[in-house]
Amino acid sequence: MKLNIKFNQKRQIWVWLTLLLLVGLIQLITLFPPFIERFYSCAFYKFYAQKLRALLGWIPFSAGDILYFIVGVWGLVWIIKLLKYIFTRNWKLLTKRIILFVKIVLVIYIWFMLGWGLNYHRQGIAEQLNLQVQPYSTEELCTLRDSLAVQLNYWRKQVSSDTTLPTPALKYLYHEAAADYLQSAQQYSFLKYAFPSIKSSLFSPWAKYFGWGGYYNPFTGEAQVRNNLPRILIPFTVLHEIAHQIGYAGEEEANFVGFIVGKTSTHPYVVYSCYSELYKYVFSELLQRNTFPDKSPALDTLVKYDFKQINLFFRREDNNIAPQIMNLYDIYLRVNQQTNGIDSYNQVVGLLIAYQKKYGKI
Ligand SMILES: [Zn+2]
């Protein structure tokens, strides 16, 4: 019996040492973005994520959502048990549970970082396209807004001359986004996307309380999309989530990659979706700077109508819970190298201006 206890203690020490060593190693690697870019993002991660998508992509529903649900229920049971130990003053079992909890958190952290999270520390798309991202002036911002407005007006007319936008099937839009990546990969091989795994989120009916349009599950490699959004928002959301799947963890990077892929789509609906999303980011940057000169080319009546419909949709969904969830997400992003938290989405503007400077136009 004594021997057994000693063996158990020794094993525990080894488990803790291994976990802490792995955490330390991961932290050390994050200091070397070129190393991560070459050996993780463009090598190990690509292989691993592809296998994960091949494994689960064919399942018609989100396996990751089921996993999250189970973990959520399990977490609740866990908390109830903890409370029971506190009330019955069972300190021994309480300590045991807490130690086990810390161990599980460490395992999840290691799994998360090795399975995706290291991508937050890569060099990324700016390095791959050799873009010089620098602070930009309001004038540059206005030039970008103007060129986006011209594109928006043009592509809206290509979609349809009706006031109401068409609503293509979700399946079709998911398929199209994957096809757009394949097409872009002919020019940029690092955008190759094999084994699509795009699912409608099982949590879509409650999404308004969370404030997201889509999310990537780093444990199952699936991209989830909120299927009850205004349809015109779906193409860009899917393109954004696929960018996460192929290893662009940063929100501004996923936005930018989604945009450069979507803007060359053969489907005007997809192109229009991308331009309207980017216009929104530029617009909000201008608002933040309190500068909004009127000289810009006017938006087409149809484009204005579409924007109004989208605004109305979100105004109808307004609730008190979503901002709290967004605060939590903001913390998550800040912990993961996204120093601007929820504003990271907007940093796509810096990438766009650098891209515009290099290639002349958007
Ligand atoms: Zn994202």
Side-chain angles (χ1 to χ4, degrees):
M1 187 71 174
K2 242 185 184 175
L3 215 74
N4 222 343
I5 291 172
K6 253 195 168 171
F7 174 74
N8 229 341
Q9 275 178 345
K10 241 185 175 178
R11 205 185 60 179
Q12 283 303 315
I13 291 171
W14 275 112
V15 169
W16 279 104
L17 274 178
T18 313
L19 289 177
L20 291 174
L21 189 75
L22 277 172
V23 171
L25 263 176
I26 287 169
Q27 286 300 315
L28 184 72
I29 295 173
T30 60
L31 301 176
F32 303 97
F35 179 85
I36 293 179
E37 183 72 33
R38 188 164 169 204
F39 297 104
Y40 178 77
S41 302
C42 296
F44 170 79
Y45 175 76
K46 266 200 162 36
F47 174 80
Y48 168 78
Q50 202 162 299
K51 291 283 170 246
L52 212 51
R53 293 200 299 273
L55 188 72
L56 299 171
W58 60 273
I59 303 176
F61 55 86
S62 166
D65 283 355
I66 307 261
L67 180 78
Y68 280 162
F69 180 74
I70 293 170
V71 171
V73 172
W74 176 76
L76 270 179
V77 173
W78 186 280
I79 291 168
I80 292 168
K81 274 189 178 165
L82 276 189
L83 289 174
K84 198 180 112 193
Y85 295 143
I86 293 171
F87 285 126
T88 55
R89 294 168 183 257
N90 194 338
W91 307 125
K92 202 175 161 192
L93 269 179
L94 182 73
T95 318
K96 244 184 171 177
R97 283 268 159 174
I98 291 174
I99 291 174
L100 185 61
F101 176 75
V102 175
K103 216 189 280 176
I104 291 171
V105 168
L106 286 180
V107 171
I108 292 174
Y109 172 77
I110 293 164
W111 185 9
F112 169 76
M113 287 304 276
L114 295 181
W116 189 61
L118 280 176
N119 284 317
Y120 277 111
H121 303 269
R122 67 183 292 189
Q123 289 171 304
I125 193 72
E127 170 78 16
Q128 287 172 317
L129 292 180
N130 202 11
L131 301 177
Q132 308 294 327
V133 184
Q134 281 158 350
Y136 46 85
S137 65
T138 305
E139 211 181 341
E140 286 173 311
L141 206 50
C142 289
T143 312
L144 177 62
R145 177 209 46 194
D146 294 352
S147 48
L148 288 177
V150 171
Q151 295 289 348
L152 261 179
N153 291 346
Y154 173 78
W155 287 105
R156 178 59 178 87
K157 283 187 191 114
Q158 303 304 307
V159 172
S160 124
S161 51
D162 287 349
T163 315
T164 315
L165 282 165
T167 49
L170 287 169
K171 253 193 176 167
Y172 170 80
L173 294 176
Y174 296 171
H175 176 82
E176 252 342 287
D180 290 337
Y181 268 88
L182 273 187
Q183 190 198 305
S184 293
Q186 289 175 5
Q187 191 182 356
Y188 305 117
S189 60
F190 45 81
L191 295 179
K192 192 176 161 217
Y193 177 59
F195 300 105
S197 182
I198 307 154
K199 324 272 176 85
S200 289
S201 168
L202 296 177
F203 304 126
S204 293
W206 303 279
K208 66 175 173 186
Y209 300 112
F210 296 95
W212 42 255
Y215 51 92
Y216 174 59
N217 187 322
F219 305 104
T220 62
E222 296 162 295
Q224 280 72 210
V225 178
R226 179 183 170 186
N227 59 10
N228 53 3
L229 281 173
R231 194 57 52 97
I232 191 62
L233 302 182
I234 300 283
F236 184 76
T237 307
V238 183
L239 290 163
H240 173 105
E241 297 308 328
I242 295 178
H244 283 324
Q245 286 184 308
I246 60 170
Y248 298 98
E251 296 303 343
E252 75 288 3
E253 281 201 299
N255 272 345
F256 181 70
V257 170
F259 172 72
I260 56 169
V261 170
K263 83 183 180 76
T264 55
S265 172
T266 48
H267 295 264
Y269 193 81
V270 176
V271 186
Y272 179 61
S273 172
C274 291
Y275 277 111
S276 42
E277 200 69 19
L278 267 293
Y279 186 84
K280 195 183 80 188
Y281 287 114
V282 175
F283 190 86
S284 87
E285 275 292 296
L286 277 167
L287 279 185
Q288 275 183 30
R289 292 188 179 199
N290 281 331
T291 340
F292 212 67
D294 306 319
K295 277 185 261 157
S296 76
L299 286 180
D300 191 275
T301 333
L302 289 176
V303 177
K304 278 189 195 159
Y305 178 80
D306 296 341
F307 281 180
K308 206 172 166 193
Q309 295 308 306
I310 294 168
N311 275 339
L312 274 175
F313 173 85
F314 286 110
R315 218 176 292 161
R316 272 197 300 267
E317 289 212 323
D318 222 6
N319 62 80
N320 295 327
I321 304 169
Q324 312 305 330
I325 302 279
M326 278 296 126
N327 283 342
L328 287 178
Y329 187 52
D330 186 72
I331 295 168
Y332 162 85
L333 289 174
R334 284 176 199 278
V335 169
N336 281 295
Q337 200 69 5
Q338 301 256 271
T339 39
N340 289 306
I342 212 82
D343 289 336
S344 307
Y345 286 87
N346 261 33
Q347 284 178 298
V348 66
V349 175
L351 280 162
L352 277 175
I353 288 175
Y355 183 84
Q356 197 176 30
K357 273 185 182 165
K358 186 171 176 190
Y359 295 101
K361 67 175 192 140
I362 288 289

